Amino acid sequence: MTIFIFCRKKKMTKITIVFFLFANILAYGQNNFTISGTIKDRSNGEMLIGASVLVLENKTAGGAVTNTYGFYSMTLPKGKYTVEYSYIGFEKIVKQIDLNTNLVVDIPLVPLSRVLDEVKIVDQSRISGARSSEMSVNRLDIKTIQKLPALMGEVDIVKSLQFLPGVSQVGEGSSGFNVRGGSVGQNLVLLDEAPVYNSSHMLGFFSVFNPDAVKDVKLYKGAIPAEYGGRVSSVLDVRLKEGNNKKTEVEGGIGFIFSRLAVQGPLIEDKSSYLIAVRRSYVDALSTLLTSNNFGLNFYDITAKTNYIINRKNRLYLSGFIGRDNFGLSDEAKFNWGNKSATLRWNSLISSKLFSNVSAVFSNYNYQLGFNQDANNKYDWRSSITNYVLKPDFSYFISRNSELKFGLESSYYRFNPSNTVGTTNGETVDSSQPLKYALEMAGYINHKLTVSPKLELQYGLRLSYFNYLGPGTAYQYNDTIPGAKKTVVSERSYKSGESIASYKNPEPRISAKFQVDEKTSIKASFSRTAQYVHFISNTSASNPLNIWTPSTNNIRPAVGNQYTLGYFTDLGKTANYELSVETFYRNTSNEIDYINGAELLNNDRLEGDLLSGKGRAYGLELYLQKKKGLITGWVSYTLSRSELKVDGINKGAWYPTRFDQTHNLKVVGSYTINEKWSTTADFAFTTGTPTTYPNQRYLSQGVLIPYNSKDSRNDARLSPYHRLDLSLRMEGKTKRNDGTPKKNTSYWVFSIYNVYGRRNAFSTYFTQSSDRVTALQPIQTQAYRVSIIGSMVPSVSYNFKF
């Protein structure tokens, strides 16, 4: 039984959700027993996320699904049962169980052979979308990601996500991704629970996630569970492989842009394993070899993980990542940026019903820009954000139809806005800004309940608290004309640890699924999320120089409310097709935008250039997917708007965000020709992104300067974006001459990115014409369209595993 209590006090709404779970617990007394255990891949010992456990005597009464660590628990009345254990790409196991006491049943599943696995799932939702209680969630299988055509033949997780409904990007060469009209900085990106503040390599062409090391990719676009918080748009949860604890494996690839190598194997067989995956690009080496200039662009990353099974109930994990990009314009000019993270986790099975995980996390993102003409003339600028997180989580499996999750999270931030030192003619000036500190804490509780065979509920509450801490200086700004730069009228200094400003927000979450019939369901959800750290960027697309800043006495946290409604159905006699239709609406308070001519970098009065307003995003997402057979693929279409309303911009009227895309169509198709050959094609079409064009110009000392006199923002659009990609995959020999299977496997990928050489506009700018003019003749203006990739890009890559 569940009761919701709402109370209002001192103009602040306090929402308290009280869970009366004792009735549920008492209902499962001495005549009920628990089956629990883990489900893993028999070939390498990897725990399987989202594996299904089904009681065949009563399929409609719910079942169990393994959690992130492969654990399941199910409480049933005393009796004899037939239990089916299954996971996509693996052979099912059916066990007869006589349940008269609590049982531990660990299941190793055997992978299907490659031929059988060609009947594959494209978007792996483990359970059909119509029967799953989740909505606005996508999970892409690594095998599917590897088949998609990619730039330079290198598969990429973030680029693959952009073929899903509701996911987009401003353009080629922009970092990150946008979800349901949110900005790049409004996505919570996690790598083994560690926040990633810049998910891109090479200015946005590749992501930091090495596919050889990734086990699971899950994107929450809405209906975000209470265990996640800190961003208002989405959550991308990337989980790393644990490492093969049966045998040593080596896999990798060689391509035009970079090469990669991953090694995994047992440290102690069946008890401890490791994984090390490395990548390194060599554009800089090719540039040095083929040209005489010193231009260089390269990146590298190292992903590592190890784990140790203490006993059947306790296990330790340690994972880490380090990656860096280096961009050298010459010997005198250097620019680099990178991420570092580490996660230590302790899994503990406290009882057959209670599972816990405690995580300690470190994350850092930093960048450096430098010019070094000589010892007397140089410039160095560094900035960073560092994050320390402690997070205990618990899962209590009350019954087969009732699961409770609860936990705490504490996150400490250190912001380095600018460490800047310049030397001119031997005179050094330090214009660094002081460090900033903040503490974010949260507690959450979430209950998943199967009310009946047709109705499932998931509801919870996250209570978050943020404290902007000293040492530091708090500024008070004057009230001025909306849209004008504000100036400081007073300031106050705070000691170390002293609270400068604090905020708290209740974040209720609720979702429901009604099962119309075996193949069709209707789902709805509401979620409120709060974001206390802000991504500061006023460029056309995010770049590595964008900074993060905390909520302060002048910058309030963004709070978003998202409402979703969806229809899900399986089509065809064997449910080969899946159709989903989702609508969403999100309103956000305290969205940040900027005055015209805002100075965002190395500005200790940054808050005076910021404006705050309201945001809204709404749309319709259609998704049709063919899941099985020799021909598979999907079509996704999103019709949406993303808008802001800020006093001082666009005369106070609503205007589109820079990443607003009205129409977004993506088509993906794969065809398995035979055991040796397969091909994949994808097509993308999106409405051009908004931009602001000048409508007038003026002359200053013979220089023509275009400007916009209408006080408008994003009132024009670039030309539509569209692109076709193709790839052909050739498998290496899988059998020896005597017909026995080969232990070593390999394949080639031949791909063409941008097949018809479309010059998609990234931006358009205006400048004075270089043509000479006669006296009294007006100076002409020229418009230039910038295209990042304006031609067909063929590539070949070789991939191996042994």
Side-chain angles (χ1 to χ4, degrees):
M1 180 173 63
T2 307
I3 295 179
F4 293 82
I5 300 176
F6 298 84
C7 59
R8 182 178 294 271
K9 184 179 181 181
K10 297 181 180 180
K11 300 182 181 181
M12 180 184 294
T13 301
K14 298 182 178 180
I15 304 176
T16 306
I17 301 178
V18 182
F19 297 91
F20 289 88
L21 300 171
F22 299 104
N24 285 15
I25 297 171
L26 293 174
Y28 285 80
Q30 295 181 352
N31 293 325
N32 294 274
F33 300 99
T34 300
I35 309 171
S36 62
T38 58
I39 302 178
K40 61 184 178 181
D41 184 337
R42 183 176 178 179
S43 66
N44 56 26
E46 287 275 353
M47 295 297 175
L48 299 179
I49 302 173
S52 176
V53 184
L54 186 64
V55 178
L56 298 183
E57 280 79 4
N58 192 355
K59 294 182 179 181
T60 61
V65 176
T66 56
N67 66 7
T68 306
Y69 306 99
F71 176 78
Y72 74 93
S73 179
M74 190 166 53
T75 299
L76 299 166
K78 179 180 178 181
K80 295 182 179 181
Y81 297 95
T82 304
V83 182
E84 178 186 272
Y85 298 86
S86 63
Y87 188 80
I88 293 169
F90 289 76
E91 296 180 8
K92 294 180 181 179
I93 287 183
V94 177
K95 293 184 71 70
Q96 301 295 326
I97 293 178
D98 186 1
L99 189 62
N100 52 28
T101 186
N102 291 337
L103 295 178
V104 175
V105 182
D106 295 329
I107 300 294
L109 294 181
V110 178
L112 291 169
S113 67
R114 181 185 172 276
V115 176
L116 290 175
D117 197 33
E118 289 303 333
V119 182
K120 52 188 173 291
I121 298 297
V122 179
D123 176 15
Q124 280 208 29
S125 299
R126 277 44 169 186
I127 298 176
S128 165
R131 295 192 298 274
S132 170
S133 61
E134 294 180 326
M135 72 176 304
S136 302
V137 175
N138 290 105
R139 177 185 270 128
L140 270 180
D141 178 40
I142 292 298
K143 292 180 181 179
T144 300
I145 293 174
Q146 290 174 340
K147 288 183 177 292
L148 291 177
L151 179 64
M152 294 299 179
E154 303 299 339
V155 299
D156 188 87
I157 288 172
V158 170
K159 296 295 183 185
S160 301
L161 290 173
Q162 292 167 18
F163 282 91
L164 298 173
V167 186
S168 62
Q169 189 181 37
V170 171
E172 289 156 332
S174 60
S175 301
F177 57 98
N178 304 97
V179 177
R180 288 186 171 176
S183 73
V184 169
Q186 292 175 337
N187 302 317
L188 177 62
V189 181
L190 300 172
L191 179 62
D192 258 13
E193 299 190 55
V196 178
Y197 291 96
N198 186 338
S199 61
S200 298
H201 279 310
M202 290 186 70
L203 302 174
F205 286 107
F206 303 101
S207 75
V208 299
F209 307 115
N210 187 334
D212 293 335
V214 171
K215 173 182 179 179
D216 189 71
V217 181
K218 195 171 187 179
L219 176 66
Y220 296 90
K221 300 178 295 184
I224 299 174
E227 62 195 271
Y228 298 104
R231 301 293 187 275
V232 297
S233 184
S234 74
V235 177
L236 177 61
D237 193 355
V238 179
R239 300 283 174 160
L240 297 175
K241 295 177 181 176
E242 296 152 13
N244 194 322
N245 65 13
K246 303 290 185 181
K247 60 181 180 180
T248 299
E249 284 186 344
V250 179
E251 61 183 312
I254 301 172
F256 282 177
I257 294 294
F258 61 82
S259 294
R260 64 186 196 278
L261 183 69
V263 182
Q264 57 179 318
L267 293 172
I268 304 173
E269 188 171 350
D270 294 329
K271 196 172 183 68
S272 178
S273 61
Y274 72 91
L275 166 71
I276 300 176
V278 298
R279 295 189 297 178
R280 210 291 191 179
S281 69
Y282 28 73
V283 176
D284 55 334
L286 294 175
S287 175
T288 302
L289 180 65
L290 300 175
T291 67
S292 58
N293 61 39
N294 293 316
F295 171 83
L297 176 61
N298 70 73
F299 74 84
Y300 69 87
D301 58 46
I302 303 172
T303 307
K305 187 170 183 177
T306 185
N307 68 90
Y308 179 74
I309 301 174
I310 301 171
N311 53 42
R312 200 194 67 80
K313 293 187 176 184
N314 293 276
R315 188 171 187 173
L316 291 175
Y317 299 85
L318 177 63
S319 57
F321 173 86
I322 181 170
R324 197 144 203 91
D325 286 68
N326 298 286
F327 187 19
L329 300 173
S330 65
D331 288 337
E332 292 80 27
K334 301 292 183 182
F335 174 32
N336 61 79
W337 64 93
N339 295 278
K340 293 182 289 186
S341 70
T343 304
L344 176 64
R345 291 180 293 176
W346 170 34
N347 282 179
S348 180
L349 181 58
I350 299 173
S351 72
S352 60
K353 291 188 175 185
L354 183 59
F355 180 90
S356 72
N357 178 76
V358 180
S359 299
V361 175
F362 162 81
S363 180
N364 170 268
Y365 172 68
N366 64 87
Y367 60 80
Q368 176 188 11
L369 179 64
F371 302 93
N372 188 6
Q373 182 178 344
D374 53 49
N376 294 320
N377 295 276
K378 55 186 179 180
Y379 177 83
D380 185 75
W381 173 29
R382 301 167 188 259
S383 181
S384 66
I385 176 174
T386 304
N387 198 190
Y388 303 90
V389 182
L390 182 63
K391 191 171 185 282
D393 299 289
F394 300 87
S395 297
Y396 183 59
F397 300 87
I398 301 169
S399 70
R400 179 167 55 148
N401 300 322
S402 180
E403 179 185 351
L404 185 69
K405 288 186 177 182
F406 55 95
L408 300 170
E409 182 174 359
S410 178
S411 184
Y412 181 75
Y413 297 92
R414 185 181 67 194
F415 302 86
N416 182 357
S418 174
N419 186 346
T420 309
V421 178
T423 302
T424 304
N425 297 326
E427 183 177 347
T428 299
V429 176
D430 188 338
S431 56
S432 300
Q433 297 180 38
L435 301 178
K436 297 181 179 181
Y437 304 90
L439 177 66
E440 182 177 351
M441 296 185 291
Y444 74 89
I445 186 167
N446 191 83
H447 187 208
K448 183 177 179 181
L449 178 67
T450 301
V451 180
S452 70
K454 285 187 173 292
L455 181 62
E456 289 185 38
L457 298 176
Q458 187 169 179
Y459 51 90
L461 175 68
R462 183 182 181 90
L463 184 62
S464 57
Y465 171 79
F466 185 84
N467 199 350
Y468 175 41
L469 301 170
T473 302
Y475 299 104
Q476 297 294 327
Y477 291 85
N478 68 322
D479 292 326
T480 184
I481 300 172
K485 188 182 185 72
K486 292 175 286 189
T487 58
V488 175
V489 295
S490 66
E491 59 183 71
R492 176 186 170 185
S493 297
Y494 289 81
K495 299 178 182 179
S496 177
E498 191 175 358
S499 177
I500 301 175
S502 64
Y503 303 93
K504 59 179 179 292
N505 281 289
E507 303 176 38
R509 320 280 174 87
I510 183 169
S511 62
K513 184 202 75 168
F514 179 75
Q515 196 74 38
V516 178
D517 54 41
E518 186 178 350
K519 292 185 176 182
T520 304
S521 65
I522 297 173
K523 305 176 188 179
S525 73
F526 166 78
S527 61
R528 175 178 296 166
T529 50
Q531 180 165 343
Y532 298 98
V533 296
H534 305 272
F535 185 63
I536 307 299
S537 170
N538 64 350
T539 56
S540 296
S542 62
N543 62 70
L545 287 177
N546 299 143
I547 62 175
W548 292 84
T549 191
S551 295
T552 67
N553 55 306
N554 296 301
I555 305 175
R556 298 183 64 83
V559 179
N561 297 304
Q562 183 172 172
Y563 309 82
T564 57
L565 177 65
Y567 173 83
F568 302 80
T569 186
D570 294 329
L571 304 174
K573 294 182 179 180
T574 57
N576 278 0
Y577 296 87
E578 185 174 313
L579 172 68
S580 67
V581 181
E582 287 193 55
T583 61
F584 67 90
Y585 177 84
R586 184 178 68 244
N587 59 69
T588 311
S589 60
N590 305 319
E591 287 264 21
I592 288 180
D593 213 327
Y594 319 93
I595 65 171
N596 292 327
E599 298 178 22
L600 302 187
L601 304 178
N602 200 22
N603 180 5
D604 60 352
R605 301 295 191 271
L606 172 65
E607 295 167 336
D609 288 357
L610 302 182
L611 299 172
S612 179
K614 298 185 295 184
R616 66 184 182 190
Y618 51 92
L620 171 71
E621 296 174 357
L622 304 176
Y623 189 49
L624 177 62
Q625 170 192 349
K626 185 176 185 296
K627 302 185 292 183
K628 302 176 183 179
L630 298 179
I631 298 177
T632 59
W634 68 85
V635 177
S636 75
Y637 170 72
T638 304
L639 173 67
S640 66
R641 294 303 305 269
S642 174
E643 300 170 315
L644 293 175
K645 185 178 183 181
V646 180
D647 195 14
I649 298 178
N650 202 49
K651 299 178 182 179
W654 288 98
Y655 61 94
T657 63
R658 179 64 181 88
F659 32 88
D660 175 63
Q661 293 177 346
T662 308
H663 302 283
N664 189 321
L665 172 68
K666 305 291 174 64
V667 182
V668 177
S670 295
Y671 174 55
T672 302
I673 302 170
N674 52 42
E675 286 190 41
K676 189 176 184 66
W677 295 94
S678 61
T679 183
T680 302
D682 61 54
F683 175 76
F685 174 90
T686 63
T687 303
T689 53
T691 188
T692 305
Y693 289 143
N695 67 328
Q696 293 188 19
R697 63 182 189 173
Y698 65 89
L699 285 174
S700 176
Q701 298 179 351
V703 178
L704 187 149
I705 303 175
Y707 75 102
N708 187 298
S709 64
K710 299 188 299 182
D711 188 31
S712 60
R713 182 73 62 91
N714 295 338
D715 60 344
R717 287 186 182 269
L718 299 176
S719 56
Y721 178 101
H722 51 89
R723 191 190 78 239
L724 173 67
D725 308 323
L726 298 173
S727 74
L728 184 66
R729 173 166 163 159
M730 182 183 73
E731 304 289 343
K733 292 183 63 176
T734 59
K735 295 182 180 180
R736 299 185 179 91
N737 294 332
D738 61 2
T740 59
K742 291 183 64 176
K743 293 183 179 180
N744 306 338
T745 60
S746 64
Y747 63 91
W748 290 84
V749 176
F750 308 91
S751 63
I752 301 176
Y753 184 88
N754 196 18
V755 171
Y756 49 84
R758 166 73 175 177
R759 294 184 177 181
N760 289 298
F762 180 77
S763 65
T764 300
Y765 68 94
F766 297 83
T767 187
Q768 181 175 321
S769 173
S770 58
D771 296 338
R772 298 185 63 179
V773 296
T774 60
L776 303 180
Q777 183 180 356
I779 298 174
Q780 298 299 311
T781 304
Q782 288 183 330
Y784 292 88
R785 183 178 67 181
V786 177
S787 297
I788 304 300
I789 297 178
S791 62
M792 178 182 68
V793 183
S795 61
V796 178
S797 65
Y798 173 71
N799 303 270
F800 58 87
K801 183 176 181 179
F802 58 85

